[in-house]
Amino acid sequence: MPQTCQALARLHGVRVTVLPVGADGRLDPATLAAALRDSEATLVSVMAADNETGVLQPIRELAALAHRHGALFHCDAAQATGKIPLDVAALGVDLLTVVGHKMYAPKGIGALCIRSGVELEPVVCGGGQEHGLRASTENVATGTNSSPPHPTSPPPPAPPTTAAPTPHPPYSRQWESSSHGR
């Protein structure tokens, strides 16, 4: 059982069911349907492509099946990214993860695509980064900030001015023009 599932079971009492695959390495939709009929599953998680065999799972069919039983569907697309077309909307998944090192990005970088309307709880509480889903310091090394400012964050400081200070008071229209580039 994957470590994340073990942790969910141990820490939160989540019941985890691991389903077998067939001789061809694929999850039979009938196996998933039977498991969903006999449970109160809220999430189904399936790898799009197996990292050892390359077997591709029928993600669109499995996602539709999970939805019919009221469960969200997560697709781990780490091995599939860049190798097969991945259209999140066409797959019908609620959540899709990719990892950066499969696309020549540094290790430790990943992305989670979240269908509009799916609400998640933060893993680590305490910050407004990533729409309130992650605490810690924002990665500013890239020069971009992917998150909108938190609603309670103070406004960012004005950019520094290169113009020489003028004798006008700091809140005059002339000062605002030179310091904000208006």
Side-chain angles (χ1 to χ4, degrees):
M1 181 182 322
Q3 290 177 346
T4 302
C5 294
Q6 290 173 350
L8 287 170
R10 186 180 75 252
L11 299 172
H12 303 288
V14 172
R15 190 173 56 141
V16 177
T17 303
V18 178
L19 300 178
V21 295
D24 61 356
R26 291 170 51 110
L27 173 58
D28 183 353
T31 301
L32 177 59
L36 289 170
R37 251 190 318 274
D38 300 333
S39 75
E40 295 178 4
T42 57
L43 175 68
V44 173
S45 183
V46 178
M47 293 172 63
D50 187 275
N51 57 312
E52 294 177 0
T53 65
V55 170
L56 300 176
Q57 299 295 336
I59 297 298
R60 186 179 337 201
E61 185 178 356
L62 297 172
L65 187 57
H67 293 149
R68 280 195 298 273
H69 288 273
L72 293 174
F73 191 90
H74 166 256
C75 176
D76 175 350
Q79 299 298 326
T81 305
K83 306 211 176 30
I84 63 170
L86 288 173
D87 181 333
V88 179
L91 289 173
V93 301
D94 301 296
L95 306 157
L96 182 130
T97 52
V98 297
V99 294
H101 69 275
K102 298 292 182 179
M103 299 177 279
Y104 305 103
K107 287 184 179 183
I109 293 176
L112 173 63
C113 299
I114 305 168
R115 180 182 51 78
S116 179
V118 173
E119 293 186 21
L120 301 176
E121 291 290 324
V123 175
V124 179
C125 298
Q129 296 86 338
E130 303 303 326
H131 305 281
L133 293 176
R134 179 180 77 79
S136 186
T137 304
E138 190 79 25
N139 179 4
V140 294
T142 61
T144 62
N145 180 353
S146 61
S147 300
H150 191 273
T152 59
S153 298
T161 180
T162 56
T166 64
H168 301 285
Y171 298 107
S172 73
R173 183 175 303 277
Q174 185 174 10
W175 179 264
E176 289 175 11
S177 304
S178 63
S179 66
H180 295 296
R182 289 185 220 165

